[in-house]
Amino acid sequence: MKKILIIEDDREIAELERDYLEINNFECDIETWGTTGLAAALDGDYDLFIIDVMLPGMDGFEIVSEIRRKKQTPIIFLSAKGGDIDKIRGLGLGADDYMTKPFSPNELVARVKAHISRHETLTSGGGGKITARSLTIDCAPRRVFLNGSEITLTAKEFDLLEFLASHPDRAFSKEQLFDRIWGMDALGDVSTVAVHIQRIREKLAPEKFIDTVWGVGYRFIK
């Protein structure tokens, strides 16, 4: 049974999330305070986190930032803050998805299933190294080196970079990349791809490895 941690200060909403997830055979824990939620996330063995942005003690952005220092567990933001700036910030910190309130419980369950399944698929097996100029992608341990120095990427950033680097000089649309990495073309927002590509570029700067193909999407340049 997969285990989910819900960090949400509105007990009614948290229990609604838990009820729908438990009906679908997930085990759920609830934390209503930011600091205790972070402690539970770091100490517990969870398959996915659902985190609100506005929390007492520590906000959701801070929690995700701390989680990503140690874990690549899938994270879904579920927040009343639905502005583009909040979404971009949340995804940029390493969250895998961002849903806004009010929300469909059935859609939440669908996204939870999809993210866990995709994470398991992308992190199982694999091996070898991909090299391109000063860049080395060590696939099995999921590590990236630029000029010999290790670059820290979130799980989705790594997945995107590895996939593009595995198909050099081939252009992929945002929709294709979203479907390959997130696996939820009917549920998510393809703008997520652009946010993650920008973050990868910033981390690999000043060298350029991902090119924009106008009217098409993105390609990896060896």
Side-chain angles (χ1 to χ4, degrees), residues 193-213:
V193 175
V195 173
H196 283 75
I197 291 291
Q198 181 59 33
R199 293 280 293 183
I200 294 170
R201 285 172 168 167
E202 291 172 356
K203 292 180 179 182
L204 299 182
E207 297 198 48
K208 183 178 181 181
F209 292 95
I210 300 177
D211 191 22
T212 298
V213 182

Side-chain angles (χ1 to χ4, degrees), residues 7 10 56 66 92 98 105 112 114 141 144 157 177 185-186 189-190 201-202 208:
I7 307 178
D10 188 318
E66 290 299 318
Y98 196 113
V112 166
V144 176
E157 289 168 359
L177 292 171
D185 53 323
D189 184 349
V190 296
R201 285 172 168 167
E202 291 172 356
K208 183 178 181 181

